[in-house]
Amino acid sequence: MSDDLVLPTEPGDPAHPEIRVLGAPRPAVPQRLPLTPRFGGCASGAGVGVGAEASGFRRLPEWLKVRLPGAGEYAETKALLRRQNLHTVCEEARCPNLGHCWSRGTATIMILGELCTRRCGFCAVGPGKPNGFVDWDEPRRVGEAVAAMGLRHTVITSVARDDLADGGSTIFARVIAEIRCRSGTVIEVLVPDFRGHEDDLRRVIDAAPEVINHNIETVERLHPVVRPSARYERSLELLRRVKQSGTGIKAKSGIMLGLGEREDEVRRTLRDLVDHGCDLLTIGQYLRPSPNHLPVIEYVHPDRFRAWGEEAEAMGFEAVASGPLVRSSFHADELAGTVLPGESSKAGA
């Protein structure tokens, strides 16, 4: 492995601008952390109801059961991603729609490694200490993979990289540029909150993706347990900055149901998102990835999801996807209007 793939900085090399590493030892070798329970109450009372039933799983209702992935386009997508040594949030987050989306030839590519510096109570992505590791060749490989997939709409996401002073925004910008060099695809990025640093978000905005997604995930009361390293207002402010950037970039967000939220809290969250300029919205069911994650408090019926979708549209969202199996990148091409329902996301198909 070459040094430029391991070291976070190459002083004097303009191809690899210096990214300051926060509290990282040398060498920059990623360190995976053990999976320990990521749930519990807190002094504010935000966790009341969430930490209950910490062991065991609820039986899945029929509407949440999905078919296992198969061959064809699914196998081709998997092989392409393996050849380029790329990670996907589809696999890392154990998404139930993996088979469906890969069979459509689509996948959400996850950049900046496979270890997340945060330990959210709902997320299956592995926690760890990236220790400043930056793969400078990753943007090229992503650009080549997207071109080979021939998609009309591409979604790029990342782990949280709180070990990097720029939050990973430099790599986001480079990935967008590499895709632009090779493809005319619509680019959607699902970004972390960059700890509220406006310059980091601005770097992504200046790279000019068509959609910037940042998920609010849950209602404000549950944030300290569900997203202990995030802040409700910080996420709303990020969406506001995207909307007010004057670039025409669509602002997108998503929320999970089934974590113990009340209906009035969901309604307030949707209103807050609209008031902060959110254009596109996804509403889906929280599914527990493992016994170390937050328990499911409720499996919300599909009829209720339909009602939430209708209510959200009435509030003023441009487009809403609401259903038990909806995830932030599920049929993102249709939600953004890149393709019409039933059309292929493949360019020229």
Side-chain angles (χ1 to χ4, degrees), residues 63-341:
W63 63 79
L64 284 171
K65 295 180 180 178
V66 296
R67 291 187 302 174
L68 293 175
E73 197 77 58
Y74 166 86
E76 293 177 14
T77 301
K78 182 175 182 178
L80 172 61
L81 294 167
R82 292 295 178 270
R83 286 196 302 272
Q84 295 288 9
N85 191 28
L86 297 175
H87 303 288
T88 69
V89 74
C90 320
E91 297 168 287
E92 300 296 336
R94 304 179 190 177
C95 179
N97 299 314
L98 184 150
H100 172 79
C101 293
W102 285 25
S103 295
R104 295 178 74 230
T106 63
T108 299
I109 297 173
M110 189 173 76
I111 62 174
L112 289 160
E114 59 182 337
L115 299 180
C116 187
T117 54
R118 300 188 182 183
R119 297 177 63 83
C120 295
F122 66 92
C123 185
V125 175
K129 297 179 179 179
N131 293 331
F133 176 90
V134 175
D135 181 350
W136 290 103
D137 188 52
E138 184 176 53
R140 177 192 63 80
R141 299 199 311 275
V142 173
E144 291 180 353
V146 168
M149 293 169 79
L151 297 178
R152 295 161 66 183
H153 191 105
T154 298
V155 183
I156 306 295
T157 188
S158 78
V159 291
R161 288 298 303 268
D162 294 332
D163 60 315
L164 300 177
D166 77 336
S169 59
T170 297
I171 295 298
F172 259 109
R174 289 196 168 204
V175 165
I176 294 169
E178 290 286 348
I179 294 173
R180 289 274 186 248
C181 288
R182 297 171 171 85
S183 171
T185 184
V186 169
I187 300 175
E188 175 176 329
V189 291
L190 173 55
V191 299
D193 62 17
F194 299 120
R195 302 182 304 282
H197 296 168
E198 189 169 0
D199 289 347
D200 297 337
L201 176 62
R202 187 76 236 184
R203 191 171 290 113
V204 178
I205 291 173
D206 289 344
E210 279 78 11
V211 181
I212 293 182
N213 184 1
H214 175 69
N215 289 329
I216 198 77
E217 304 291 12
T218 190
V219 301
E220 184 174 17
R221 175 177 61 88
L222 300 182
H223 257 68
V225 173
V226 178
R227 304 176 73 205
S229 298
R231 300 292 182 273
Y232 183 79
E233 289 296 335
R234 183 193 294 170
S235 292
L236 291 175
E237 180 63 14
L238 184 151
L239 295 168
R240 184 191 66 78
R241 286 172 176 168
V242 171
K243 188 65 176 179
Q244 294 184 355
S245 65
T247 59
I249 296 173
K250 298 289 186 184
K252 179 179 176 181
S253 192
I255 183 172
M256 301 175 292
L257 303 183
L259 283 161
E261 66 286 333
R262 300 189 306 266
E263 288 205 351
D264 64 300
E265 293 176 316
V266 175
R267 194 164 286 112
R268 181 203 159 190
T269 302
L270 300 185
R271 175 53 61 192
D272 285 344
L273 289 170
V274 168
D275 290 346
H276 284 77
C278 184
D279 300 295
L280 311 175
L281 175 71
T282 59
I283 309 174
Q285 169 72 52
Y286 166 64
L287 296 175
R288 191 183 193 187
S290 82
N292 288 322
H293 293 80
L294 291 167
V296 175
I297 302 303
E298 177 189 8
Y299 287 125
V300 180
H301 193 274
D303 290 345
R304 193 70 197 108
F305 275 104
R306 281 191 288 272
W308 278 122
E310 292 170 359
E311 185 168 343
E313 289 178 349
M315 287 184 181
F317 288 97
E318 181 179 310
V320 180
S322 180
L325 289 173
V326 167
R327 296 295 180 265
S328 57
S329 302
F330 185 63
H331 286 213
D333 46 6
E334 292 182 8
L335 189 66
T338 307
V339 303
L340 297 175

